[in-house]
Amino acid sequence: MRVALTIAGSDSGGGAGIQADLKTFHQFGVFGTSVITAVTAQNTAGVHAWQALTPTLVAQELDALATDLPPDAVKSGMLGSGELVEVAAAAIARYRFPNYVLDPVMVATSGDALFDGAVGAQHAVPLLIGRRLVPLAALVTPNLDEARILVQDDVRTPDDMERAGRALVRMGARAALVKGGHLPGDEVVDVLVADGRVRRFARPRLDTTSTHGTGCTLSAGVAAGLALGRPLEQAVADALDFVHRAIAAAPGLGRGGHGPLNHFVPAPPRPPNDGL
């Protein structure tokens, strides 16, 4: 059985973060391991409080897994501080973790910032992500706001998304998937830049507020596909399909906030001998 690792925060509401990642890994048929970087007190209405774990403990989590359950793919989400960015980058490089998917989480779906202290979501920590983590990534998966911060340029259209993806590849990522969920219109367009080619994925926009954890679920789905040995473009297509169906089947939980997806929808069919 293949192993996928998530390095991210814990979501007490169960819709995003470590919880969403492990549910997604399970649906894709890979064994999920986790390095928790922060504990959050949140629900569908928003993030009420959170606390990052110490860099020493996060490093020990990474060491424990690398020496006993080495992953076939890795994703990272909420890191929470510059120190934790450095810890994650050092471990990914030192242990040569393969198939690293970087979801550069900066702000929760509710709009709450997920970085600590004075640096804020638009200053030192995002720049550190660009310098330390982007060059290690097989794929980086920013939304429009995250792409704008990372490439220091406006990202408002699919053409802008393509330019941002190319810029992220120039920064060292092997590929970039710029997510267009925040674009206006009846269609959602996501832009993949990989191997010198560009592919646009388009789907009808679903009229729903059940979007909590979409980015986490997507990056976890890609990591699971890569762990199973699928080509990057197929892993991305499979993950986008899974997320779309999970949103469409959302259970409507919560009291008026951004509800979770339905992680019980089946993953795309596995090809013969996939991951064996």
Side-chain angles (χ1 to χ4, degrees):
M1 179 174 284
R2 300 293 175 88
V3 176
L5 165 64
T6 170
I7 307 168
S10 169
D11 173 7
S12 57
I18 291 287
Q19 287 80 356
D21 295 342
L22 292 177
K23 292 172 188 177
T24 303
F25 290 162
H26 178 84
Q27 288 302 92
F28 274 75
V30 298
F31 184 82
T33 59
S34 60
V35 168
I36 297 176
T37 59
V39 175
T40 70
Q42 66 175 300
N43 53 27
T44 62
V47 180
H48 298 272
W50 66 273
Q51 178 67 56
L53 273 66
T54 66
T56 298
L57 182 55
V58 172
Q60 290 171 332
E61 292 182 80
L62 286 158
D63 292 342
L65 293 175
T67 55
D68 185 52
L69 293 163
D72 297 291
V74 181
K75 68 144 288 186
S76 68
M78 176 186 180
L79 296 174
S81 73
E83 288 179 302
L84 293 181
V85 171
E86 292 284 9
V87 167
I92 291 166
R94 179 170 66 255
Y95 292 114
R96 298 182 180 180
F97 286 156
N99 298 316
Y100 170 45
V101 179
L102 166 59
D103 182 10
V105 174
M106 300 176 189
V107 179
T109 302
S110 60
D112 297 291
L114 296 175
F115 281 119
D116 66 0
V119 295
Q122 297 187 29
H123 299 292
V125 175
L127 295 177
L128 189 62
I129 288 174
R131 189 171 73 249
R132 296 286 283 122
L133 290 177
V134 168
L136 298 172
L139 179 72
V140 57
T141 64
N143 62 29
L144 298 184
D145 291 334
E146 293 158 352
R148 175 180 53 80
I149 292 168
L150 289 171
V151 306
Q152 297 289 288
D153 199 1
D154 252 356
V155 185
R156 298 177 182 272
T157 68
D159 287 344
D160 293 342
M161 294 163 67
E162 179 179 334
R163 283 192 291 271
R166 292 187 185 279
L168 288 164
V169 170
R170 288 195 298 273
M171 290 168 62
R174 295 207 296 280
L177 176 69
V178 182
K179 301 175 294 188
H182 296 159
L183 287 175
D186 296 330
E187 194 174 58
V188 175
V189 177
D190 303 292
V191 179
L192 174 66
V193 178
D195 298 322
R197 298 184 298 110
V198 176
R199 179 175 173 184
R200 296 187 181 187
F201 298 86
R203 284 185 171 79
R205 184 178 300 278
L206 298 172
D207 184 14
T208 180
T209 58
S210 295
T211 56
H212 181 54
T214 51
C216 304
T217 302
L218 176 63
S219 55
V222 176
L226 295 176
L228 291 166
R230 297 175 186 172
L232 175 65
E233 190 169 321
Q234 181 188 349
V236 168
D238 287 347
L240 287 169
D241 173 65
F242 179 76
V243 169
H244 184 80
R245 289 183 290 107
I247 295 173
L253 300 177
R255 299 182 178 180
H258 292 279
L261 317 185
N262 182 356
H263 291 94
F264 287 108
V265 298
R270 295 174 61 169
N273 300 320
D274 189 24
L276 298 179

